[in-house]
Amino acid sequence: MSNIVGIEYNRVTNTTSTDFPGFSSSGENAWDVEKFRDTFDIQISSLTEREANFDLIHIDTSIANAFRRIMISEVPSVAAEYVYFLNNTSVIQDEVLAHRIGLIPLKVDPDMLTWVDQSLPEDERFNDENTIVLTLNVKCTRNPDAPKDCTDPKILYNNSHIYARDLKFEPQGKQVETFANCPVVPCDPDILLAKLRPGQEISLRAHCILGVGGDHAKFSPVGTASYRLLPHINITESIKGDLAEKFQKCFPKGVIGINSDGEAFVKDARKDTVSREVLRHEEFEGKVKLGRIRDHFIFNVESTGAMTPEEIFFKSVRILKNKAEYLKNCPISQ
């Protein structure tokens, strides 16, 4: 039970963790890398192109949270950083439109680009190794073939709605060969950028570079990266009959089941939201204990589309490893 964070009616107990390197030089609390290798486990619940749900088991909170923070703010991705306007007669101001373009996730492997050297002058800063160029050249005109009684601007006008798909990739230099089989496109082509009316037009060039979410959210490769502890429900006394049905309703659907003898049992604690509703009823006092398993983390990672969620997690592991190697090899100042 020392591994369970207790959830009581008005407080949370047993919150202190001691499972970290160097806690003690001897005894059960000493951190052992071999023990960690034997007990650590990863279980994948679901995995799609955009979202992953997986469990990290028998790992300390500090490490789990490091992965979460790195995925959000330190895994690099590509986004528009500089937007050069040649013409913009729409009702959207240049800076607002530039901001909207910057937030569009781009389907490009960040490993295919190098980092921009910010110490160089701006005219020497960008090249075909570190910069992706996107252009947008659209003009709204009337549709001569539109029905007379039509009121839909998408039919009345050409280019009345400008979407992310209207951004065109212009390969520079050796990018013609490098990106021949994987041209840069928006992850979500139907993102609305602007609405135009006849006579209005937009002409611009956007320079897209590598960056990290710690500098700006547009560089973050995830929409969400979160975790929660696995709920723990311990039924200490038998609950049967009508009381079992009431007990079942105190939890989200699927958490508590009722067997053929009419007795309540824990069917799937993973679905529980730990609402503590059951602790409000006196008839269940002393019959159930709620908690969370402190070293069982349920991760949910939602990618913006630039990379798959498993690739984002693998990159976060590599970044954390590099940080550890740096600290290990860093000379200690006297």
Side-chain angles (χ1 to χ4, degrees):
M1 295 301 294
S2 62
N3 200 35
I4 304 297
V5 177
I7 307 296
E8 298 184 5
Y9 178 76
N10 57 358
R11 63 174 182 162
V12 179
T13 62
N14 196 30
T15 58
T16 305
S17 171
T18 58
D19 185 21
F20 61 90
F23 172 73
S24 84
S25 59
S26 61
E28 295 181 356
N29 291 320
W31 191 81
D32 190 315
V33 65
E34 294 301 328
K35 179 182 178 182
F36 173 76
R37 287 174 177 171
D38 292 338
T39 58
F40 176 68
D41 192 19
I42 298 179
Q43 296 179 0
I44 300 174
S45 300
S46 63
L47 182 62
T48 65
E49 188 177 352
R50 287 291 186 97
E51 191 170 2
N53 189 277
F54 58 92
D55 295 15
L56 297 186
I57 305 171
H58 300 310
I59 192 171
D60 189 60
T61 306
S62 59
I63 305 301
N65 195 45
F67 288 140
R68 182 190 67 85
R69 292 174 65 93
I70 291 172
M71 283 188 281
I72 293 173
S73 62
E74 296 187 51
V75 174
S77 68
V78 179
E81 177 73 356
Y82 300 93
V83 181
Y84 303 94
F85 284 88
L86 306 177
N87 192 11
N88 179 19
T89 56
S90 71
V91 297
I92 300 182
Q93 300 92 333
D94 292 357
E95 60 271 25
V96 176
L97 183 55
H99 183 262
R100 294 176 69 88
I101 292 173
L103 291 174
I104 295 174
L106 301 175
K107 201 169 189 62
V108 52
D109 184 357
D111 293 334
M112 298 180 72
L113 295 181
T114 61
W115 291 89
V116 173
D117 187 353
Q118 299 292 348
S119 64
L120 296 174
E122 189 171 342
D123 57 344
E124 302 176 10
R125 196 175 296 170
F126 308 107
N127 54 58
D128 57 357
E129 294 183 351
N130 60 28
T131 305
I132 296 292
V133 177
L134 300 177
T135 62
L136 178 63
N137 295 287
V138 290
K139 183 176 182 179
C140 183
T141 59
R142 293 186 180 276
N143 179 13
D145 299 324
K148 292 183 179 180
D149 58 346
C150 180
T151 58
D152 187 352
K154 292 184 179 181
I155 299 176
L156 284 173
Y157 315 122
N158 300 313
N159 295 324
S160 64
H161 291 62
I162 309 305
Y163 296 95
R165 60 174 173 265
D166 295 314
L167 290 166
K168 305 302 180 184
F169 170 50
E170 285 194 0
Q172 308 293 312
K174 62 182 181 181
Q175 290 179 356
V176 175
E177 292 80 22
T178 306
F179 292 93
N181 297 324
C182 53
V184 179
V185 294
C187 299
D188 298 291
D190 295 329
I191 297 176
L192 182 65
L193 294 179
K195 293 182 180 181
L196 301 183
R197 291 300 177 264
Q200 297 177 348
E201 62 179 299
I202 298 174
S203 180
L204 58 83
R205 289 169 62 87
H207 284 187
C208 309
I209 64 173
L210 277 176
V212 294
D215 292 333
H216 196 287
K218 66 184 178 183
F219 290 116
S220 181
V222 296
T224 59
S226 62
Y227 65 74
R228 62 188 178 97
L229 295 177
L230 179 68
H232 181 266
I233 304 170
N234 182 22
I235 300 176
T236 58
E237 293 184 20
S238 178
I239 303 175
K240 294 183 176 182
D242 295 339
L243 207 58
E245 294 183 4
K246 183 176 181 180
F247 183 77
Q248 184 182 49
K249 293 178 181 178
C250 290
F251 296 87
K253 186 177 180 180
V255 175
I256 301 298
I258 300 176
N259 61 25
S260 57
D261 296 329
E263 183 178 4
F265 68 96
V266 180
K267 185 177 181 181
D268 188 357
R270 189 186 185 90
K271 295 180 179 179
D272 187 31
T273 57
V274 194
S275 66
R276 311 188 198 189
E277 170 65 21
V278 69
L279 302 180
R280 296 177 61 248
H281 303 276
E282 294 182 359
E283 54 266 45
F284 300 127
E285 186 175 352
K287 295 184 178 181
V288 61
K289 289 185 178 181
L290 303 181
R292 288 181 182 270
I293 302 177
R294 75 162 72 251
D295 61 353
H296 190 136
F297 298 87
I298 302 173
F299 268 81
N300 191 75
V301 179
E302 180 185 344
S303 170
T304 59
M307 293 169 277
T308 59
E310 66 266 30
E311 184 179 357
I312 295 172
F313 178 70
F314 292 151
K315 287 180 183 294
S316 72
V317 174
R318 185 174 64 187
I319 291 172
L320 184 59
K321 180 181 177 182
N322 292 339
K323 287 175 178 285
E325 289 290 339
Y326 173 79
L327 289 175
K328 182 179 179 181
N329 299 323
C330 185
I332 301 175
S333 58
Q334 300 297 327

